[in-house]
Amino acid sequence: MIDLRSDTVTLPTPEMREAMYQAFVGDDVFGDDPTINNLEERVAEILGKEAAVYMPSGTMTNQVAIRTHTEPGDEILLEQSAHVYFNEAGATAALSGAICRLIPGDRGVFGAEDMEAAIRPVNDHYPRTKLVCVENTANRGGGKVWPLEKLAEVKKTAHENGLKIHLDGARIWNAAAAMNIPESEIAKHFDSVSVCFSKGLGAPVGSALAGSSDFIMEARRFRKQFGGGMRQAGIIAAGALYALENNRERLTVDHDNAKIFAKGLAEINGIEINPDDVETNIINFRMQGMTTDELIENLNKQGTHVLPKDSITIRAVTNLMVSESQINIALDHVRNAMNS
Ligand code: TLP
């Protein structure tokens, strides 16, 4: 099976399992888990932040960040395809009572002017704009990487207008690998940063939220309120720590495989894709003469698995379980399907 549905499908390797087996653990709600403490310190160090807190999922780190930055009735600004808005089950409304205002963007990336235009003036009738969220890489944008100058402009405009700025950095590792820069060069543009270990890095569970010590102290309170306080979770944090130390550099392999897949797809009759749009490990493509459901079913039968992004677009995600030779087999499967 060639599983390109997501980079969340990766399974722990024997070495990662060994690290998890060996992990020292304790009750993390009392701050007693040495493995989680190590992980949190290491994440803060890598991102150049004062502190970090471990949580079960990227949805939780994003939503705890939003709850910590806002009060019910406040407004947050995000690009129209943001995961926080699109894929988190309405959590912003349900858990923070915050409303989302969507900014137009190009594959997940927006400009400071469009963001500034969406900030509400002070007026009793309006919600208070409190927070802007950025996603890097942009998932629904096909893994697009934010240029650093754009991040700097958005941060400057947000801070000039009294807004906080949060990064959904589920795939910050891919963005940093693609640009060949340390993650802290991206994270420095944000007040809070959410990162995931269970996507491209290949750990089985977990995410972290990083920021100032005061912010993280407050976020720990909301993690507890949202039910995210875990006990001897060093078992899973050890997988995350292993992933952090061993699987960041190899992400360029996934990016190279994504390019090979995109270029191969572009040569297949009926497939629409611009390989230049593929900057990291996510490949979005469309096709003619076949619906997404028909193509997915045909590929499933041949042993390649992808997901629909929407009713006309397919998403494939390269990951550490898929080799270059399997990418070439997956291309054969698409070719067979389009010729059937
Ligand atoms: N993304 C998943 C699905 O939810 C779509 C995927 O397969 O890509 N931020 C971003 C940018 C994400 O892509 C995801 C997961 C999350 C947050 C949420 O992470 P989890 O699944 O750990 O809650």
Side-chain angles (χ1 to χ4, degrees), residues 119-129 161:
I119 299 172
R120 308 272 187 175
V122 177
N123 180 310
D124 280 353
H125 296 81
Y126 297 143
R128 291 181 305 177
T129 314
N161 285 278

Side-chain angles (χ1 to χ4, degrees), residues 19-301:
M20 295 170 76
Y21 179 74
Q22 298 288 348
F24 291 106
V25 297
D27 189 334
D28 181 52
V29 174
F30 294 135
D32 284 352
D33 192 303
T35 309
I36 294 190
N37 293 342
N38 280 347
L39 175 67
E40 291 175 346
E41 275 167 30
R42 187 71 181 113
V43 169
E45 182 184 42
I46 289 171
L47 297 177
K49 298 292 178 202
E50 286 174 3
V53 53
Y54 186 55
M55 298 194 206
S57 72
T59 300
M60 189 178 275
T61 42
N62 279 332
Q63 295 302 328
V64 165
I66 290 166
R67 181 64 194 92
T68 311
H69 284 302
T70 64
E71 290 302 324
D74 288 345
E75 189 164 63
I76 68 174
L77 306 180
L78 346 87
E79 201 267 345
Q80 56 200 358
S81 64
H83 192 280
V84 164
Y85 173 72
F86 229 96
N87 290 92
E88 298 187 7
T92 306
L95 304 177
S96 293
I99 61 168
C100 294
R101 189 162 194 194
L102 301 181
I103 310 170
D106 173 24
R107 295 193 300 126
V109 176
F110 55 84
E113 319 75 49
D114 283 328
M115 185 197 91
E116 195 162 26
I119 299 172
R120 308 272 187 175
V122 177
N123 180 310
D124 280 353
H125 296 81
Y126 297 143
R128 291 181 305 177
T129 314
K130 276 292 185 61
L131 178 69
V132 55
C133 293
V134 165
E135 189 176 311
N136 192 16
T137 67
N139 182 345
R140 295 182 68 82
K144 190 170 171 57
V145 181
W146 274 72
L148 291 178
E149 321 79 70
K150 284 227 160 215
L151 289 182
E153 282 164 25
V154 165
K155 174 200 178 183
K156 186 167 173 279
T157 307
H159 283 174
E160 278 170 2
N161 285 278
L163 309 190
K164 296 289 185 195
I165 178 164
H166 169 73
L167 174 65
D168 177 350
R171 296 187 179 82
I172 190 176
W173 324 113
N174 298 83
M179 294 179 113
N180 196 19
I181 55 169
E183 289 83 357
S184 55
E185 283 301 301
I186 299 172
K188 73 179 185 190
H189 297 290
F190 297 92
D191 299 298
S192 58
V193 179
S194 159
V195 298
C196 292
F197 311 109
S198 61
K199 314 230 157 32
L201 295 191
V205 191
S207 292
L209 178 64
S212 69
S213 303
D214 286 349
F215 175 83
I216 294 302
M217 208 195 304
E218 194 63 6
R220 282 185 188 279
R221 185 182 146 67
F222 288 116
R223 177 184 71 164
K224 185 71 192 153
Q225 197 176 80
F226 287 12
M230 297 184 284
R231 302 293 178 175
Q232 287 73 20
I235 294 270
I236 49 173
L241 202 47
Y242 180 93
L244 202 57
E245 303 304 2
N246 294 283
N247 291 345
R248 279 185 291 153
E249 276 182 20
R250 64 151 305 287
L251 288 171
T252 51
V253 174
D254 296 345
H255 300 174
D256 291 346
N257 284 340
K259 264 283 192 244
I260 292 168
F261 194 52
K263 284 183 180 161
L265 286 173
E267 285 169 10
I268 298 174
N269 266 344
I271 299 283
E272 294 168 13
I273 183 172
N274 179 356
D276 292 340
D277 287 345
V278 176
E279 298 175 38
T280 54
N281 68 332
I282 302 179
I283 307 110
N284 288 335
F285 63 95
R286 295 183 178 185
M287 59 271 145
Q288 282 169 351
M290 202 178 257
T291 66
T292 50
D293 285 349
E294 284 165 350
L295 181 59
I296 288 170
E297 202 189 320
N298 187 311
L299 291 179
N300 280 344
K301 283 189 192 139

